[in-house]
Amino acid sequence: MPYVVVAYDIRDDARRLRVAKVLKNALERVQKSVFEGEVELDRLEIVEAKARRHMDERQDSLRVYLLCARCVQTIRAYGISPMVEDPDVLIV
């Protein structure tokens, strides 16, 4: 399952809330306009389509980055930005 980072810049508050709600159902919010996590490709396509329906592509932007396993291992986060935990890893 690929690891995905989705970032958006939505001008209108109502559209922004709708896009965030769509993304929140599939990914973990790590910043106000950034979501990330593992998601099946077919589900990602559905999420992208739903999010795009709420956008005005003349004013807004949505970026989707698929990261390879090696790239995911190099992610660094500082401060209050949470790291998305791997559901297959249990830290005791």
Side-chain angles (χ1 to χ4, degrees), residues 35-69:
F35 288 78
E36 62 183 64
E38 289 184 327
V39 63
E40 295 286 346
L41 285 177
D42 57 342
R43 178 146 189 233
L44 178 61
E45 288 180 15
I46 293 167
V47 168
E48 285 180 41
K50 286 181 179 180
R52 290 181 67 195
R53 280 197 293 264
H54 296 296
M55 296 174 52
D56 178 344
E57 293 191 8
R58 297 166 299 172
Q59 297 181 359
D60 305 330
S61 68
L62 179 74
R63 293 178 155 306
V64 180
Y65 302 94
L66 279 74
L67 303 182
C68 68

Side-chain angles (χ1 to χ4, degrees), residues 1-89:
M1 197 167 8
Y3 194 89
V4 178
V5 177
V6 179
Y8 60 83
D9 186 9
I10 309 290
R11 294 180 118 186
D12 178 77
D13 290 341
R15 289 194 313 263
R16 185 171 46 254
L17 288 172
R18 289 191 300 265
V19 168
K21 186 176 179 180
V22 168
L23 296 174
K24 191 176 183 179
N25 287 328
L27 299 165
E28 185 79 24
R29 182 179 233 150
V30 295
Q31 292 185 358
K32 289 188 179 193
S33 62
V34 180
F35 288 78
E36 62 183 64
E38 289 184 327
V39 63
E40 295 286 346
L41 285 177
D42 57 342
R43 178 146 189 233
L44 178 61
E45 288 180 15
I46 293 167
V47 168
E48 285 180 41
K50 286 181 179 180
R52 290 181 67 195
R53 280 197 293 264
H54 296 296
M55 296 174 52
D56 178 344
E57 293 191 8
R58 297 166 299 172
Q59 297 181 359
D60 305 330
S61 68
L62 179 74
R63 293 178 155 306
V64 180
Y65 302 94
L66 279 74
L67 303 182
C68 68
R70 183 172 168 224
C71 294
V72 172
Q73 294 174 4
T74 67
I75 295 173
R76 296 177 184 168
Y78 305 99
I80 62 171
S81 178
M83 290 295 291
V84 176
E85 295 182 24
D86 184 340
D88 296 328
V89 175

